[in-house]
Amino acid sequence: MPALTEQQLADDLTRAMKAREMPRVYVLRGLLTAAKHLKVERKGAALAEADLVQLVRREIRKREEAEEFAVKAGRGELIEQNRAERALLEVYVPALLGPAELEETIRALAARPEARTLGAIMGALRERFAGRYDGRQASEIARRVLAEPSGA
């Protein structure tokens, strides 16, 4: 997948509008609006691909939460709408690292003497794999790896 850019999102929005794909139009408009808000927060600084991937992941999480509430409320139409929107958004994010691959990477990082702290490991992960891992899962694995004796 090519690098995710605001221009790519804008071009996709234009194509969706011309094709009258309204669900895609709504999702992309929301995503571009979130990107503009982030740019304003950062005083106009251009957004890197990692920032955009993070935004998309945040929007996916919102859909997941909304879907959970819709399931509890028994609202079938909202469940389907959130699943469809999530599918549209997932096209824009790279695949997440699997648990085994993530643990292998964390172990390699922890093996370096300068990276024997949680902060150093998480920082290195963020630098190399921005938006490609579950932060909570990475933190749990890193804590477990750091708790192991050094000779293990």
Side-chain angles (χ1 to χ4, degrees):
M1 184 175 97
L4 180 62
T5 63
E6 287 179 78
Q7 187 59 50
Q8 177 193 0
L9 292 173
D11 293 346
D12 288 355
L13 174 62
T14 303
R15 277 193 293 281
M17 289 170 77
K18 287 180 180 175
R20 299 188 185 275
E21 296 174 22
M22 294 320 287
R24 184 178 301 271
V25 169
Y26 295 136
V27 167
L28 288 172
R29 276 186 181 157
L31 196 54
L32 283 166
T33 300
K36 285 179 184 166
H37 286 298
L38 186 59
K39 275 177 82 170
V40 168
E41 271 179 36
R42 296 186 178 174
K43 298 179 178 31
L47 299 179
E49 179 183 15
D51 297 323
L52 290 171
V53 168
Q54 211 170 16
L55 265 177
V56 174
R57 289 216 190 279
R58 188 177 311 142
E59 291 296 316
I60 289 171
R61 269 194 307 277
K62 284 181 187 176
R63 298 323 190 274
E64 288 169 349
E65 289 173 8
E67 187 179 327
E68 287 174 21
F69 286 117
V71 167
K72 288 177 185 172
R75 302 275 312 267
E77 74 282 359
L78 288 178
I79 295 169
E80 288 308 311
Q81 177 186 347
N82 282 299
R83 283 185 184 153
E85 289 178 3
R86 211 171 64 221
L88 291 172
L89 288 165
E90 286 170 349
V91 170
Y92 294 102
V93 291
L96 286 173
L97 295 175
E101 192 177 359
L102 186 58
E103 183 164 352
E104 184 180 314
T105 303
I106 290 171
R107 285 189 183 284
L109 291 170
R112 300 189 331 224
E114 71 275 9
R116 286 296 301 169
T117 66
L118 183 63
I121 290 172
M122 296 304 286
L125 264 180
R126 207 173 8 264
E127 203 173 285
R128 287 180 46 198
F129 300 103
R132 292 197 48 215
Y133 63 92
D134 178 357
R136 187 176 302 133
Q137 184 182 36
S139 178
E140 289 170 7
I141 292 171
R143 287 178 206 278
R144 190 179 68 228
V145 167
L146 288 172
E148 294 173 355
S150 297

